Amino acid sequence: MQLTAEHCPAPVPPPGSRGIDEILAAARARLDRLDPERAHLAYRAGALLVDIRPAAQRAAHGVVPGALTVERNVLEWRFDPRCPARLPEAVDYDVPVVILCQEGYTSSLAAAALQDIGLRRATDVDGGFAAWRIAGLPALGPTPAPRNPLAPPVTAGWARR
């Protein structure tokens, strides 16, 4: 017999804990999230657009030209004006920061973390890079893998079956 979720009861959460859906909702409740078009306008007006996606996602899906790349695991250190490891752009607590992830989930948590540091104008892109791309906003890549022009197409031989 294979065990499935219906055979295994969910563990009882510890008192005071919150599930990720609750944490995400609380983070988003305090953000003025931007749709891709508003995020692009904010970026063009001087807001810092910060891509927190891992390198593999940026390679696979593309990037926004000019966006700062700061992976999620170091974001707070790079934007805390009190931290010696901060970026030169982290000049004060009033800097507008717009966080971008792939689909707009991790970015909400990251923007809320920046607000916790004191960056009151931190927010994120609703729908993330995927929505940015769908909106037709400036993006580069991904770079397709090079193809051997002498090799037959991957589907070669399928039509004969």
Side-chain angles (χ1 to χ4, degrees):
M1 176 179 166
Q2 185 178 22
L3 290 179
T4 61
E6 62 215 28
H7 294 101
C8 297
V12 176
S17 68
R18 299 181 300 157
I20 188 58
D21 291 336
E22 196 175 349
I23 293 168
L24 182 61
R28 287 180 171 171
R30 54 189 220 187
L31 299 175
D32 176 21
R33 300 185 78 211
L34 304 178
D35 64 38
E37 291 83 3
R38 281 182 56 212
H40 185 242
L41 289 173
Y43 174 50
R44 292 191 54 179
L48 299 175
L49 183 62
V50 181
D51 190 337
I52 63 168
R53 296 174 299 153
Q57 278 189 333
R58 293 190 311 271
H61 300 284
V63 297
V64 175
L68 289 173
T69 300
V70 180
E71 290 194 13
R72 177 64 189 98
N73 62 325
V74 296
L75 183 71
E76 291 86 347
W77 287 270
R78 299 300 182 255
F79 279 93
D80 184 349
R82 294 169 279 223
C83 182
R86 72 182 174 277
L87 292 171
E89 293 86 353
V91 293
D92 62 37
Y93 295 96
D94 200 42
V95 64
V97 179
V98 180
I99 305 295
L100 182 72
C101 71
Q102 186 60 33
E103 294 183 357
Y105 294 95
T106 304
S107 59
S108 294
L109 299 176
L114 289 183
Q115 285 188 356
D116 289 342
I117 288 172
L119 279 76
R120 62 179 184 81
R121 296 176 67 190
T123 190
D124 75 325
V125 179
D126 190 356
F129 183 76
W132 181 281
R133 258 281 161 67
I134 289 168
L137 295 169
L140 299 173
T143 305
R147 287 185 43 141
N148 180 347
L150 303 176
V154 174
T155 57
W158 284 83
R160 291 190 291 254
R161 292 182 186 180

